[in-house]
Amino acid sequence: GLRQRLEEDPNLFRAGVMLLQSMVSSGRVEAGVHLLGLMRYYADDLERLKTVVEALGAFHCRQAVSTLVSEFYRIESSNQTRGYLNEVLKVLRRFPKALAEAPLLALAMDKKFSYRMRRKFEEMACQFRERDEWFRSVPGHQAGLPESGGSL
């Protein structure tokens, strides 16, 4: 049935995940919860995970941040996994400062990671501060507030 087709056809899978992303963007929290479940279900399939991670960028809640951050502990960095981990980092950049800055700073201080990775985490956390400074300079904007959308 449909499940088998989703397993076999990466384009159909991507379309389904993008539909869930669209639903999340429209405030449908249950679609975001489904995306979190797909992260566990496809834990060993980095290509499918990359698609799900991209969609999680629309689900601005602490559970999504926690799931994304946990990928750095779960997946060993190597030539084969670097692209996936870079995608996770890129998606974390889209989250509001209030949700993502502290977890990124915690990663930056964790000696489990190489100096280079800790530096990347620190640079990303600093980008939140720079983004806040820019928003403060724009009349009518409040820095660091979560964007509208699904949140728990």
Side-chain angles (χ1 to χ4, degrees):
L2 179 59
R3 181 175 172 197
Q4 183 177 358
R5 287 187 54 216
L6 283 172
E7 293 288 332
E8 293 172 356
D9 186 348
N11 292 325
L12 188 58
F13 177 80
R14 182 166 188 67
V17 170
M18 293 302 108
L19 175 62
L20 289 170
Q21 179 182 22
S22 176
M23 292 169 69
V24 166
S25 295
S26 297
R28 302 278 304 270
V29 173
E30 68 277 12
V33 172
H34 193 74
L35 288 170
L36 292 172
L38 288 175
M39 289 291 294
R40 295 296 169 239
Y41 188 81
Y42 289 107
D44 297 325
D45 186 338
L46 293 184
E47 281 308 307
R48 287 182 190 261
L49 280 179
K50 204 183 257 193
T51 301
V52 178
V53 163
E54 184 181 317
L56 269 178
F59 193 39
H60 292 175
C61 67
R62 64 182 169 73
Q63 292 86 346
V65 170
S66 176
T67 297
L68 293 170
V69 166
S70 73
E71 290 298 272
F72 293 104
Y73 290 98
R74 191 179 75 80
I75 304 282
E76 187 79 27
S77 182
S78 71
N79 288 338
Q80 290 78 28
T81 63
R82 197 159 293 124
Y84 170 70
L85 293 174
N86 282 334
E87 182 66 25
V88 172
L89 203 53
K90 184 174 97 177
V91 168
L92 279 169
R93 183 179 293 131
R94 292 188 285 184
F95 279 79
K97 173 185 177 179
L99 292 173
E101 184 183 37
L104 283 167
L105 287 172
L107 287 170
M109 291 186 280
D110 193 331
K111 300 281 190 213
K112 174 205 182 299
F113 301 105
S114 69
Y115 172 80
R116 188 174 175 193
M117 281 301 290
R118 290 194 324 263
R119 187 86 178 113
K120 274 186 179 182
F121 297 139
E122 184 179 5
E123 286 172 4
M124 181 168 290
C126 287
Q127 287 176 2
F128 284 113
R129 286 189 206 112
E130 291 167 8
R131 189 170 72 184
D132 274 2
E133 289 170 12
W134 181 85
F135 274 113
R136 272 195 284 277
S137 71
V138 177
H141 283 85
Q142 293 181 357
L145 294 180
E147 299 168 16
S148 62
S151 62
L152 297 175

